[in-house]
């Protein structure tokens, strides 16, 4: 009887430990810490809708002063290690997306690295 | 009669207060609040239909053999020759050298690029609506919607569009480009929206390229177009290009 009680207790303790650790969280090792454009809860749920809405606004109407901007995300969220939002499980966009099994084509065109300087007309 | 002293203004004041008191905001139209309008105004300095961006190219100043505009375009928009196969590389602007066969030996040189037509055939033929014209006249490909069918490439009489055959890297973040889509000169829309001029215009040391708002009578380009003889290439097609040429 005592043995059984001990076993139950151990099992309970074990499951509590797993719960405290919870679901593995994405690594946020970003070059510019501080504040996002909205709360993390809102960002996790709605960033894809925000981006797709702004995409059409910028592309079609030339609206470029919105707080939502893909280049803006990248400037803040690029990693300290390789300056990019892609690369491996520690990179912000890729890390979470591979965990959530999301595949993006955005970076076939969009530059995933922060800090690019365009050459411009002058040499 | 004299009993009704409430003025129009006082009446509006009262009803506005009443509305504000009941609804908490002044409703201008169903679903549109005064707040929304104020915010919309603050950040929507986008493309305006009052503007028509255009270019005037003076072929008498454009130097034979010079390709500064072409290389400036390539630098700004990160256009590289595709894996050693220049024929596959995109071409947003190219130099054309012309020679008159009869008579004298008149030679001239000009840059050819997307003519940003008012009636663009590339837009007419696009099956998805990816090829479109902004309110300010700039003709673009929305590459989020482009399926790469290349009807627009066929429809363009100026051969201004290219198809991206190979995966690309090191794009300018302000100029996303990628495999499987059609692309062409954007008139450096990312610079124009910041109040700058296109990279090719900025690079021209011969002052052969002038960029500006054709709709604004005060602008240098509108005044030049009004005073000197300029022409539109293939004007017979009545596409009304925004790029005009002088001296051809």
């Amino acid at each position: 009887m005592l043995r059984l009680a001990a076993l139950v207790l151990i099992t309970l303790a074990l499951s509590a430990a797993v719960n405290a650790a919870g679901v593995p969280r994405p690594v946020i090792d970003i070059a510019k810490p501080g504040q996002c454009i909205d709360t993390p809860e809102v960002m996790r749920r709605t960033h894809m809708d925000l981006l797709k809405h702004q995409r059409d606004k910028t592309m079609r109407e030339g609206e470029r002063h919105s707080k939502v901007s893909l280049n803006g995300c990248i400037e803040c969220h690029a990693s300290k290690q390789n300056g990019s939002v892609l690369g491996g499980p520690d990179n912000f966009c890729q890390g979470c997306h591979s965990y959530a099994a999301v595949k993006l084509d955005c970076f076939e065109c969009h530059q995933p690295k922060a800090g690019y300087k365009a050459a411009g007309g002058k040499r | 009669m004299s009993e009704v002293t409430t003025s129009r203004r006082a009446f509006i004041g009262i009803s506005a207060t009443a509305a504000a008191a009941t609804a908490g905001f002044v409703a201008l139209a169903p679903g549109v609040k005064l707040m929304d309008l104020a915010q919309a105004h603050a950040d929507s300095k986008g493309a305006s239909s009052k503007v028509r961006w255009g270019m005037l190219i003076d072929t008498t100043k454009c130097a034979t053999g010079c390709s500064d505009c072409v290389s400036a375009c390539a630098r700004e928009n990160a256009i590289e020759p595709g894996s050693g196969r220049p024929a596959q590389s995109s071409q947003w602007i190219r130099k054309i050298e012309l020679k008159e066969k009869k008579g004298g030996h008149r030679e001239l040189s000009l840059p050819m690029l997307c003519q940003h037509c008012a009636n663009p055939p590339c837009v007419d033929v696009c099956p998805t609506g990816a090829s479109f014209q902004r309110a300010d006249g700039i003709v673009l490909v929305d590459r989020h919607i482009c399926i790469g069918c290349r009807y627009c490439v066929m429809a363009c009489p100026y051969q201004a569009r290219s198809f991206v055959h190979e995966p690309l890297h090191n794009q300018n973040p302000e100029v996303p480009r990628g495999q499987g889509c059609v692309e062409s000169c954007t008139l450096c829309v990312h610079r124009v929206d910041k109040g700058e001029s296109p990279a090719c215009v900025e690079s021209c040391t011969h002052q052969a390229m002038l960029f500006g708002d054709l709709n604004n009578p005060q602008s240098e380009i509108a005044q030049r177009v009004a005073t000197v003889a300029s022409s539109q290439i293939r004007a017979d097609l009545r596409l009304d290009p925004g790029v005009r040429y002088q001296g051809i």
Side-chain angles (χ1 to χ4, degrees), chain B residues 81-104:
Chain B
S83 30
R85 280 179 292 228
Q88 300 225 327
S89 172
S90 281
Q91 190 179 55
W92 291 14
I93 181 169
R94 61 185 185 272
K95 276 297 294 288
I96 294 182
E97 316 277 348
L98 299 170
K99 200 169 199 173
E100 202 169 13
K101 280 186 187 154
K102 285 183 194 159

Side-chain angles (χ1 to χ4, degrees), chain B residues 202-215:
Chain B
E202 194 180 278
S203 77
C204 181
T205 48
H206 305 280
Q207 272 77 51
M209 301 176 93
L210 177 64
F211 170 80
D213 177 8
L214 290 164
N215 278 353

